[in-house]
Amino acid sequence: MILEPRESNIFQTRMLEPRFTVALIFLVAFWSSALVAESAIGVNWGAVSFHRLKPSTVVDLLKDNKIQKVKIFDADQDVLNGLRGSGIQVMVGIPNEMLGVLSSSTDASDMWFRQNVSKYMVKGGVDIRYIAVGNEPFLTSYSGQFQNLVMPALLNLQQSLKTANLAGYVKLVVPCNADAYESSLPSQGAFRPELTQIITQLVSFLNSNGSPFVVNIYPFLSLYGNSDFPQDYAFFEGTSHAVTDSPNVYTNAFDGNLDTLIAALTKLGYGQMPIVIGEIGWPSDGAVGANLTAARVFNQGLINHVLSNKGTPLRPGVPPMDIYLFSLLDEGAKSVLPGNFERHWGIFSFDGQAKYALNLGLGNKLLKNAENVQYLPARWCIANPSSNLNQVASHFQIACSVADCTTLNYGGSCNGIGAKGNVSYAFNSYYQLKMQDERSCDFDGLGMVTFRDPSVGDCRFLVGVTDSTRASASSHSTRASAASYLRYHWWVIVLVFIIRGICLFVF
């Protein structure tokens, strides 16, 4: 899931040289699983949170729920180290901000590959199956910023894969938003005119290298962004607003969107290209229509629909290869530019506790909670009932400018708890973010610590966790992290060229 706004339409609804022996050992270790590519339900694991669980805790959560495929948004070393030896198949992401460097030379892509892929792909290491080159780089809101960087980066990285003897195992993909294609009916699907050339090059590359087309589909966003969008069409339980595209009839937005993509690919001569759904889900809070019931109904309906192998009208009996639910955990530090719901896509809350009953079709009938989560003491910061709260506005604004208060907004789970409840929620969110530092509950005497849980109904007053990793760093946006990563590696690459030049001059 990206931090920037997504576009939507009616069918959519975000320096050691490589060794051959290392690659051989890894390939042998995973040979049996590589022989059969099975469709599966996976998850996106984002980590833009004030309260990050230890990667080992999250990996145990994945394993306990029999989730064997995970997509991450960058090559986070803590996350990748946590995945070592787990047997979970991984899609590693490259932020859009890295595309410029990776498109500059094979030296740049070789370096990135060695540091973020090769060193993990050893016996007992990480089973990396895909590298996502950019994330929705063709979004209309980017105004073509990354468009010309995608293919050069792909070609360089493909060469790096070949150098490491992993081109037959690891596949490069480019997750696209569904705004890359458009139509009034699924059968008329076509890529946006300004993307026709680059998408043609992309699908030719994917086809030549045995890679699927990865697309992110969000029916919720169509419903959220269009008051005329029929609500029941976003779900899988039937609709009174079916779309007739003779001879096909569409009763849900997912099938309509997917067939729009299939029609667009067919126009380019790649109608049989395998498709992976990189992101799809429904938020549980932060907006009208984003609630626990809707999230459960959508996600369960989606899973049942896909696992039924019905496929779509244009691909009957052929569902997508894989579907990665968005997302595994709530991410309370994400940008709310698209909407307050951005922080509430998880099927689990930030601390790994299941939000609702969900059968992933992977062996467990219900989700299993994360175990051995280490919480801060059971205490909360609330508005002091004996204080005059007339002067609380500035403190409330300060607390919510730092901590997450999105559930207080219209449509949120805490929207109806009253003015004093709102203040208490804001104070507590700030207090937990500051790891229950007693000074953080002062607010000029307006706050007080209580040992009685102030949660009301579905409005949960959180308690922070103590087993978080790099908590301060995780509060930064993905964009800032990527920019820092970019600057560091750019200077490393420049240094390599300087040293190479010196060597050539001397020798």
Side-chain angles (χ1 to χ4, degrees), residues 86-373:
S86 66
I88 296 171
Q89 298 175 18
V90 182
M91 182 186 297
V92 174
I94 297 176
N96 291 329
E97 290 77 9
M98 282 293 298
L99 295 179
V101 168
L102 295 175
S103 66
S104 65
S105 70
T106 53
D107 285 333
S109 63
D110 284 347
M111 179 177 293
W112 182 90
F113 193 84
R114 283 194 294 267
Q115 294 177 344
N116 300 291
V117 178
S118 293
K119 78 174 187 179
Y120 296 103
M121 296 189 70
V122 295
K123 187 176 182 180
V126 184
D127 187 5
I128 299 174
R129 297 296 183 96
Y130 295 108
I131 298 173
V133 183
N135 190 32
E136 302 184 338
F138 306 126
L139 270 177
T140 54
S141 58
Y142 290 147
S143 302
Q145 178 182 355
F146 304 109
Q147 187 169 318
N148 294 327
L149 302 175
V150 172
M151 286 308 303
L154 277 173
L155 294 172
N156 287 341
L157 285 163
Q158 186 65 27
Q159 185 58 47
S160 298
L161 275 172
K162 291 178 180 178
T163 301
N165 296 299
L166 288 171
Y169 192 84
V170 180
K171 301 300 179 181
L172 302 180
V173 295
V174 179
C176 293
N177 188 278
D179 85 332
Y181 48 90
E182 54 196 4
S183 76
S184 57
L185 290 172
S187 64
Q188 299 172 10
F191 290 101
R192 298 198 323 258
E194 70 273 22
L195 294 180
T196 301
Q197 182 177 359
I198 181 66
I199 294 293
T200 301
Q201 295 172 351
L202 172 60
V203 295
S204 176
F205 172 89
L206 297 174
N207 184 67
S208 297
N209 293 285
S211 297
F213 191 98
V214 178
V215 63
N216 301 339
I217 297 176
Y218 283 97
F220 170 80
L221 294 182
S222 286
L223 182 63
Y224 177 78
N226 182 359
S227 59
D228 295 327
F229 191 91
Q231 180 170 334
D232 57 2
Y233 187 63
F235 295 88
F236 298 87
E237 300 184 318
T239 178
S240 58
H241 301 83
V243 173
T244 300
D245 185 7
S246 183
N248 299 319
V249 177
Y250 293 87
T251 59
N252 66 81
F254 175 74
D255 283 353
N257 191 305
L258 195 53
D259 272 1
T260 305
L261 170 60
I262 292 168
L265 289 170
T266 300
K267 284 182 172 63
L268 300 182
Y270 296 92
Q272 301 304 313
M273 173 164 283
I275 294 173
V276 166
I277 308 301
E279 298 177 24
I280 187 168
W282 199 279
S284 62
D285 212 330
V288 175
N291 55 66
L292 293 171
T293 298
R296 182 191 63 78
V297 170
F298 177 84
N299 284 327
Q300 192 63 72
L302 170 71
I303 292 166
N304 293 345
H305 181 66
V306 171
L307 296 184
S308 72
N309 293 322
K310 291 180 180 178
T312 67
L314 292 186
R315 282 191 183 177
V318 185
M321 284 178 58
D322 299 312
I323 287 189
Y324 293 83
L325 294 177
F326 194 88
S327 63
L328 179 65
L329 303 165
D330 280 351
E331 297 177 80
K334 291 189 69 176
S335 167
V336 293
L337 184 59
N340 292 315
F341 54 81
E342 272 300 292
R343 297 177 175 178
H344 304 282
W345 291 92
I347 57 176
F348 293 92
S349 54
F350 76 95
D351 54 353
Q353 306 305 296
K355 293 182 184 177
Y356 44 80
L358 189 66
N359 184 348
L360 297 176
L362 302 175
N364 294 339
K365 291 185 177 180
L366 296 176
L367 297 177
K368 293 187 176 181
N369 295 330
E371 297 184 350
N372 303 315
V373 177

Side-chain angles (χ1 to χ4, degrees), residues 283-293 330 340-341 343-344 355 404-418 421-422 425 454-462:
S284 62
D285 212 330
V288 175
N291 55 66
L292 293 171
T293 298
D330 280 351
N340 292 315
F341 54 81
R343 297 177 175 178
H344 304 282
K355 293 182 184 177
D404 177 29
C405 297
T406 53
T407 61
L408 297 176
N409 293 283
Y410 181 65
S413 61
C414 298
N415 180 245
I417 62 175
N422 289 347
Y425 188 92
S455 299
V456 181
D458 289 336
C459 178
R460 177 188 177 193
F461 281 59
L462 66 86

